[in-house]
Amino acid sequence: MAIVAMSEAARQIQLKLLEAFPDEAAAIIPKMHKLHPPQPVLYDGPRDTPDKKLIFTFVGNEFYRKGGAEVVLAFSELAEEGLINADTVEVNITGDLNNRYNIAHGKYQDEAAFYSKIEQSLTRYNIFTHATSRPNSELIALFKRAHVGLLPSWQDTYGFSVLEMQACGCPVITTNVRALPEINPDAAGWTLACPLNAMFELTVASVGDKIALRRLMVAQLKAQVLAILADRASVLSRSQNALRRIETHHNPARFKESLDAIYALAR
């Protein structure tokens, strides 16, 4: 028998759960392994960073859980402050605005007025292009032309869309929940630092917690966007490093070899 965790965060969570079962833990822990999922490189062309417009891309069917609202708030505030416009920034957003329930918020869900504000901002500012969904081929095409991906997620078990964006040479801005800092290190992307609990997740125990975390995410996202606009070379270096880490850590052939080795140990 073998137990395979797809990230170090997942492995650590398993170890914490086993603390309640010390007798079983002694037998299980030696059988635990960590193996990140495979991801082939999808596009290794150089990421051009033009003097004018930079393209940002967000994808999340569960729009609010994946941080879609925080993306809209950050870019809307930057536009309102006169720091960006449609000549300097394009933000492609793919996500279902009707998927309002955010599991990370628990019983402290947002109110109708908040959802209306987000939807109005999407139509008010011409930097945004929104689609409820896109076929996968169209998403991959977006990733190939985008300069920066966006996933300021409130809750994620892994973050597979990050791997797809990186595999297209598109570095990503993410939060630091669960496996995201493992697959999106500083050299390959940008991280929004948020306080985490013992399970590597955000704690929303009140409306105040939710508001404070949202403001922290939005403030950091705005700062990252402005820093990227001021230092476009950072996009090229992270694009190259993102591709390298996909080739190194998610190579399908190496994944198969590692999985075969785990199976061999379990026989």
Side-chain angles (χ1 to χ4, degrees), residues 69-193:
E70 287 66 43
V71 168
V72 174
L73 289 171
F75 281 91
S76 296
E77 288 179 15
L78 288 172
E80 193 69 32
E81 293 161 10
L83 297 173
I84 61 172
N85 56 48
D87 292 326
T88 58
V89 164
E90 174 186 329
V91 186
N92 293 301
I93 292 181
T94 305
D96 190 344
L97 299 175
N98 291 317
N99 282 340
R100 293 177 170 181
Y101 183 78
N102 185 340
I103 191 172
H105 291 177
K107 62 182 180 180
Y108 304 105
Q109 298 295 310
D110 292 309
E111 297 180 350
F114 178 79
Y115 303 128
S116 295
K117 176 183 177 181
I118 297 302
E119 293 171 15
Q120 290 167 9
S121 293
L122 279 170
T123 57
R124 177 181 177 185
Y125 298 101
N126 61 356
I127 59 173
F128 296 119
T129 300
H130 171 254
T132 299
S133 65
R134 290 183 170 97
N136 190 64
S137 59
E138 189 174 328
L139 288 176
I140 296 301
L142 273 177
F143 296 162
K144 289 178 180 179
R145 63 184 284 264
H147 299 103
V148 179
L150 302 163
L151 193 73
S153 187
W154 284 85
Q155 191 272 348
D156 242 295
T157 52
Y158 192 83
F160 289 97
S161 63
V162 174
L163 296 188
E164 283 193 315
M165 287 188 267
Q166 290 175 334
C168 292
C170 178
V172 190
I173 302 175
T174 70
T175 50
N176 59 336
V177 301
R178 294 291 286 268
L180 290 176
E182 295 176 51
I183 63 175
N184 192 40
D186 289 341
W190 302 265
T191 303
L192 310 180

